[in-house]
């Protein structure tokens, strides 16, 4: 009986919306209004200083990783390359940013060879260790060097993608593994002005 009552109330409330605007139907995690992810001050792989303001008017994805990453980073960049391909003529309205958490090894030259190999429009960003830490802190991204057997190191890091709208506001968070189709759906909504 309670179930039927709840169902009836839901149906009645659904009909009371009138012409009220519908919120966008994002599939990814909606973080609109979050108090982080508002700025980046790094240098791109061409040596040009960059901030998020440079990309106003475009939807922007920001992913933190490193070029020696064996799986998460290349998978994410490959998914974003697929999104760009699917966008077709609208691809120039999306900017993909790859922020290295390993500036020691990921020089501008290394990033210039690695990041655009997924798509020529992608930009690799880097900074000195302090700038890298500030950028990661601004986006609440964890990263830490881990020694590996036989010498050298790897870097543990957060594996999600942040998506900002055309105004430079953080809107969405994509957990690793959600796939290109899901990101494409929500990016199209942002491109349409959601």
């Amino acid at each position: 009986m309670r179930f039927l009552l709840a169902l009836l109330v839901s149906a009645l409330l659904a009909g009371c919306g009138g012409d009220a605007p519908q919120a966008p139907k994002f599939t990814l995690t909606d973080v609109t209004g979050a108090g982080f992810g508002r700025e980046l001050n790094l240098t791109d792989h061409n040596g040009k200083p960059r901030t998020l303001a440079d990309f106003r008017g475009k939807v922007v994805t920001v992913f933190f990783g490193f070029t020696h990453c064996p799986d998460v980073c290349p998978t994410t960049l490959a998914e974003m390359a697929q999104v760009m391909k699917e966008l077709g003529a609208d691809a120039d309205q999306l900017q993909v940013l790859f922020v290295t958490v390993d500036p020691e090894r990921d020089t501008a030259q290394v990033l210039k060879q690695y990041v655009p190999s997924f798509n020529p429009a992608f930009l690799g960003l880097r900074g000195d260790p302090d700038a890298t830490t500030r950028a990661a802190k601004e986006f609440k991204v964890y990263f830490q060097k881990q020694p590996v057997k036989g010498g050298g190191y790897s870097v543990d890091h957060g594996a999600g993608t942040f998506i900002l709208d055309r105004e430079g506001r953080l809107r969405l968070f994509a957990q690793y593994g959600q796939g290109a189709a899901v990101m494409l759906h929500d990016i199209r909504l942002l491109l349409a002005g959601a």
Side-chain angles (χ1 to χ4, degrees):
M1 182 69 174
R2 284 186 182 181
F3 173 75
L4 289 174
L5 184 59
L7 189 62
L8 180 61
V9 169
S10 294
L12 288 172
L13 290 176
C16 293
D19 293 332
Q22 294 292 315
K25 302 282 192 249
F26 293 123
T27 305
L28 301 170
T29 304
D30 188 339
V31 294
T32 301
F36 63 94
R38 295 180 177 171
E39 63 181 65
L40 276 178
N41 292 294
L42 298 167
T43 303
D44 73 21
H45 61 243
N46 296 310
K48 182 176 180 178
R50 294 292 194 160
T51 68
L52 290 176
D54 295 334
F55 307 107
R56 285 276 158 81
K58 292 185 175 192
V59 170
V60 176
T61 68
V62 180
F63 178 78
F64 288 76
F66 66 115
T67 63
H68 287 74
C69 178
D71 44 29
V72 172
C73 301
T75 298
T76 299
L77 287 169
E79 288 175 351
M80 291 312 305
Q82 183 63 34
V83 168
M84 293 287 275
K85 182 179 177 186
E86 295 292 329
L87 283 173
D90 291 334
D92 64 346
Q93 298 176 53
L94 174 66
Q95 181 61 62
V96 174
L97 303 177
F98 176 85
V99 179
T100 182
V101 292
D102 186 14
E104 185 178 326
R105 291 184 295 196
D106 290 344
T107 63
Q109 189 58 39
V110 169
L111 287 173
K112 192 172 189 169
Q113 291 173 350
Y114 181 78
V115 178
S117 70
F118 292 90
N119 182 290
F122 290 6
L123 283 175
L125 300 179
R126 68 180 308 278
D128 63 24
D130 288 340
T132 302
T133 299
R134 281 193 304 275
K137 188 174 181 181
E138 174 64 22
F139 279 81
K140 300 189 180 297
V141 171
Y142 163 84
F143 73 98
Q144 183 174 351
K145 272 187 184 181
Q146 296 293 339
V148 294
K149 217 175 199 177
Y153 66 91
S154 185
V155 183
D156 289 344
H157 63 91
T161 300
F162 301 89
I163 305 175
L164 294 85
D165 65 18
R166 293 178 187 270
E167 302 300 317
R169 297 173 300 202
L170 179 58
R171 298 292 303 278
L172 301 168
F173 177 74
Q175 294 178 16
Y176 173 68
Q178 291 198 270
V182 173
M183 285 194 280
L184 176 65
H185 173 269
D186 286 9
I187 287 169
R188 279 190 168 137
L189 288 176
L190 289 177
L191 288 173

